[in-house]
Amino acid sequence: MKTPKDKSKKDLQENNLLDESINTEQSDTTVASEKSTTDEKTTVINDTTEVAEAATTISNTAVTTEIALQPKKERLLSIDRIRGLCIFCFVCSVLMPLFETAFEKLAPLFEHAHRQTGLGGWQILPYVSIADLFAPMFIFIMGLTMVKSFKSREKKVGTPRAVLQLAVRFLGLIGLGIMLNTFEDLVVDLLKKEATFGELQFYEKVFVTAFWATVGFVSIMLILTLVSLILRYAKCAKANNIIVKINDVFANIFKYVLAIIGLLSLYILIVGTAEMLNTLVWHEEEGNPLGWQEYTLTKFGSIWWDTLQNIGLAGLMALPFVALGRRGRLTVASINLIVYAIMIKYGSTAYRAVVEGGLIGGIGWSSIVLFGTVCFDYKDEKEYWIIPAITLLAALFLDFTYGVIAFKRGCTPPYALLCISLSATVWGLFNKINDWKPKYDFLADWGSNPILNYAVAIFFIAILLGGKYEEQFAAMKLWPALGITVLFLGVFTAANWLMRKKQVYIKIS
Amino acid sequence: MKKNIKESLSSFFVKTKEKIKVYTNNYKNKQNELSEILAESQRIKSIDRFRGFLVFCMLVFQFLNKFDNLTFLNKLANHYNHGIGIEILPHMTIADMVAPAFIFAIGLTFAMTFIKRQKLYGTKIAVVHHLERSLGIIGLGCFLGLCGNILDSFGGKHTLNAFDYSVLAVSVIMLIGIVLRLLTNVPKLKNNKYFPKIAEQIFYISISVLGIMDIIITCIDWHYVLTTGDLVYRYWLTLQDIGFAMLIALPLIKAGSFVKFSVATAGFIGYTVYHQQPGVMELLDIPVHGGIIGGFGWAMILIYSMIFADLYFKDKTNALIYAGFFAGIGILLTQWIGVLNLGSCSPTFIITNVGLSGLIFMLFDYCDKFRKPSFDFLVWWGKNPIVMFLVEFFAIGLYTSLVPDSILKDAPLWLASLEGIIAVAILTAFAYLLSRKKKTIRL
């Protein structure tokens, strides 16, 4: 068995799509001795001390558990904690609204502002509800870790490859989002026999095929991981090594498959946006202060876009500026928002037509990423708190004085600035207690596996349970609903705690 | 015996030498302290410029507001409830920001001037001085109100009542005090042991009495507002707001920032709860700036600005952050605890203007780095705000009340601009003269 010192340093590479933070304050990747020397290694571990066995990599909904060879820097707990807060709120927002009767009074807390009318939910600003504020926090968190991750990659593999790796990651996120949408919108109907494969449009067929390929890949990788675990405990190192290598190959192929799907989705978005801009007509409507838009999409019929795609696009659009200094990034983000604000002020309503604003909304979302990178650079300086103060003020002036509405759909500049302010404030406060390391860290546990929590919440709770037992949950009384909620959250908490204890981190690699 | 005399003489000399040494050291220390204090106040030109800018806005734009043909400049001086002003936030125009910013400027140096005086003359004298100053400003406002009522009575718009006559009587004493103080410049009287002090006390006591009378009558007026919905005496304007705010903030002048913040926030919460009662905001809109009740709101602005000053003198970055958050939170709160309203000194108006004033001041402070102008006209304006205010009230007030409409309201653009330029030039020259002669006239 090779010792850690024999390992090539080239193996250090991470492929977190969402979880860049893990590698910023800690050593990036350290690879166990038996790992291959390929460049496509993903290992991020919190604190490892032992040097012993080969790691097992399970990609995709992959569990990467590797043992560090080098002393690791500790994670920046503030990033884990803020991520944990977001994910916890997200899971609650998916679970609790299922119980319509039981949690009726809490419903406005989880209600997003209506995508057309802008009404609904407990509004912190006109057309912005409290529930609208948590998703951008994820994007902000992505920004926190992006620059350092890019720079560490750049040192190891050079700038072009570093850019390619991050681009593949963000495209993979888009691809993953499309897969979830495909399941929700197409596969379920196909399984219920409400539609047939032949009736689908060409690109829908591609997505459905890709979905089943994804399921296949994930299944194979899960099986291989299981086998690897067994071999590991049986101390068959050689066989385990082979299995791990095969798993790596599948993981890498899967990563690029997702990226290609993401690219296709991006193409559909661009085409759809162009058609929309060309045919958009805005209508006034009584009781709807924002009016509604009508447009025609002939090429692909619809624009497939949702939260994960949005996160991926935000990363992609911020990527060209990652190499700039903090003032450069701040300037770019500010100019983006100013230009966007002027466009909206003088008549553009296109941002409202697509979920999260689509390509146009990407301007706002990428600005949040860039501000996140700037906030990370300032985190230890006293000037840090100027950012949330001034962005809050700017958001309010744009909304109340300049007349540009804050709206999640489209990520308008006041909305983006408000989210930046809130996220920066929350993270700044978490930063203040970074040195506080309790035995049991609830938020850090929840923040250690965001992708898994997100996927389970969407897939299992929202789609399966919500789809199958929708009526039963909606009619349930308070105590049973509370019991089920506590049970679910308890299971999530226990699972997160266990995974963090065992240093199991599920990422897309 | 000779030996004893020698010994006692030598010990006497030694003791005297020591005493002289101690006295000299004390004097040097005091001079050093004073120098430090003076050095501190001399360095903060940005505060002077900020104050000067506000005085300039208050006076000049009020004058330019008389000329309808100056359109844009005419609008600048309009408050939200007076017509079309330049609205920078919902229900708040640029003109609405000037008075709270002025109180903010006072807060920047409020504690500093007290400490200066305390170090020089002791705590008792410093407290008495500041008390007299606060009441004096209210008294001055009362006196100006009387002048306005007398002028209106000549025009038939007002009938002098019992209170007007009482104020007149005390004002006469105050004016006698002023005359006596001016007479102290006569060498014979200047050197008199008692005359200057008596003259000073006559003036300060009489103007303080005017201040107390004003507070009492305004309380009575608030009672009339609550019972009949209208004012009777109308003796409350901007100067009274300033003086009353200083009076309320006085006990906290040497308190720590945390104590000030706690007291101000507790007061703010109480004020907000009261302000939010149904119909109260409309009642508070009746007297100018909320009357005596609104005065508590103005006091909150002063106390919060004192906290800003504490932060500013320790670390400017923290002060900037404090101002930014205050402004943001104030504007955000308009959705839940009411609009920005100068007329009633609404809670959101208080918080927002503390923040905005702080930010504008920090801008002045930042610009201080780049320019050290020889033509520092804002500093000249800022050195004698009381005098400039009185000049504006009497000189320009008289001018605008005597000239016909064709020269004022209906004046063509060229004439209005010319009058504006001349007024600004004369006032600036006057301010410059006072500054050059190092004359600072304060209460």
Side-chain angles (χ1 to χ4, degrees), chain A residues 478-498:
Chain A
L478 177 64
W479 287 109
L482 202 60
I484 292 173
T485 306
V486 168
L487 179 70
F488 262 105
L489 292 177
V491 166
F492 265 92
T493 306
N496 282 318
W497 170 79
L498 194 67

Side-chain angles (χ1 to χ4, degrees), chain B residues 403-420:
Chain B
V403 298
D405 282 349
S406 55
I407 295 178
L408 205 64
K409 228 171 55 167
D410 303 328
L413 183 62
W414 68 268
L415 182 60
S417 310
L418 187 65
E419 285 178 83

Side-chain angles (χ1 to χ4, degrees), chain B residues 166-194:
Chain B
S166 314
V167 171
L168 182 63
V170 180
S171 300
V172 165
I173 301 170
M174 182 196 74
L175 289 168
I176 291 168
I178 291 175
V179 167
L180 290 175
R181 285 191 84 186
L182 287 169
L183 284 174
T184 56
N185 289 316
V186 173
K188 223 178 180 177
L189 292 168
K190 194 175 187 176
N191 297 327
N192 186 290
K193 200 177 172 184
Y194 299 107

Side-chain angles (χ1 to χ4, degrees), chain B residues 139 142-147 161-174 210 213-214 217 235:
Chain B
C142 183
F143 174 70
L144 295 178
L146 173 71
C147 295
N161 53 44
F163 184 72
D164 290 324
Y165 287 113
S166 314
V167 171
L168 182 63
V170 180
S171 300
V172 165
I173 301 170
M174 182 196 74
L210 278 179
M213 286 168 68
D214 200 331
I217 208 65
Y235 262 94

Side-chain angles (χ1 to χ4, degrees), chain A residues 71 90 144 184-185 244 286 307 312 328 373 387 393 432 435 446 478 485:
Chain A
F90 173 75
L144 289 176
E184 206 176 347
D185 297 336
V244 163
E286 207 179 309
T307 310
T373 64
I387 298 171
L393 207 52
K432 291 272 179 202
D435 293 331
W446 272 79
L478 177 64
T485 306

Side-chain angles (χ1 to χ4, degrees), chain B residues 274-291:
Chain B
Y274 181 68
H275 191 274
Q276 294 304 98
Q277 301 305 307
V280 169
M281 191 176 101
E282 289 74 23
L283 290 173
L284 285 170
D285 254 329
I286 297 170
V288 171
H289 299 166

Side-chain angles (χ1 to χ4, degrees), chain A residues 259-491:
Chain A
I260 291 166
I261 294 165
L263 204 58
L264 175 63
S265 170
L266 202 55
Y267 174 74
I268 293 172
L269 174 71
I270 296 168
V271 168
T273 305
E275 286 190 301
M276 179 195 69
L277 287 171
N278 203 28
T279 59
L280 188 73
V281 175
W282 182 76
H283 300 277
E284 283 187 16
E285 190 181 32
E286 207 179 309
N288 178 2
L290 297 179
W292 60 279
Q293 295 81 35
E294 190 184 13
Y295 54 88
T296 315
L297 301 175
T298 56
K299 189 84 183 146
F300 293 110
S302 65
I303 298 175
W304 286 51
W305 211 249
D306 213 323
T307 310
L308 270 184
Q309 293 92 309
N310 201 44
I311 295 169
L313 179 67
L316 269 179
M317 286 177 78
L319 191 55
F321 310 109
V322 148
L324 295 174
R326 61 189 185 184
R327 284 188 185 177
R329 282 177 262 126
L330 186 63
T331 307
V332 167
S334 304
I335 291 171
N336 282 351
L337 291 174
I338 290 167
V339 168
Y340 193 14
I342 295 170
M343 278 168 57
I344 294 173
K345 169 77 178 168
Y346 292 101
S348 170
T349 58
Y351 63 90
R352 277 192 244 146
V354 182
V355 171
E356 316 294 22
L359 196 62
I360 299 164
I363 301 171
W365 296 111
S366 61
S367 301
I368 296 177
V369 173
L370 289 172
F371 265 96
T373 64
V374 172
C375 283
F376 187 83
D377 288 339
Y378 276 102
K379 74 174 172 34
D380 293 322
E381 296 179 36
K382 60 181 179 182
E383 285 86 3
Y384 174 84
W385 289 99
I386 295 176
I387 298 171
I390 299 301
T391 47
L392 174 65
L393 207 52
L396 295 170
F397 264 109
L398 278 177
D399 196 342
F400 292 126
T401 307
Y402 197 49
V404 176
I405 63 161
F407 201 31
K408 184 183 181 208
R409 190 162 188 171
C411 193
T412 60
Y415 173 78
L417 289 164
L418 180 69
C419 295
I420 290 162
S421 177
L422 178 71
S423 306
T425 304
V426 171
W427 187 58
L429 291 171
F430 276 127
N431 247 344
K432 291 272 179 202
I433 56 167
N434 233 4
D435 293 331
W436 178 59
K437 289 174 183 137
K439 258 187 171 170
Y440 177 63
D441 202 333
F442 176 80
L443 288 178
D445 288 343
W446 272 79
S448 55
N449 280 287
I451 272 285
L452 176 66
N453 285 311
Y454 179 85
V456 169
I458 287 285
F459 187 80
F460 186 65
I461 299 174
I463 298 173
L464 281 181
L465 283 183
K468 202 171 159 75
Y469 301 108
E470 190 182 347
E471 284 166 18
Q472 292 92 317
F473 282 168
M476 210 174 268
K477 297 273 185 223
L478 177 64
W479 287 109
L482 202 60
I484 292 173
T485 306
V486 168
L487 179 70
F488 262 105
L489 292 177
V491 166

Side-chain angles (χ1 to χ4, degrees), chain A residues 14 20 24 145-167 319-324:
Chain A
E14 42 176 275
E20 294 291 351
T24 55
T145 59
M146 199 165 156
V147 169
K148 205 150 185 185
S149 169
F150 174 77
K151 283 187 175 154
S152 71
R153 286 166 182 274
E154 201 182 16
K155 268 187 209 163
K156 291 164 207 159
V157 300
T159 309
R161 284 197 80 173
V163 171
L164 177 68
Q165 282 170 8
L166 283 179
L319 191 55
F321 310 109
V322 148
L324 295 174

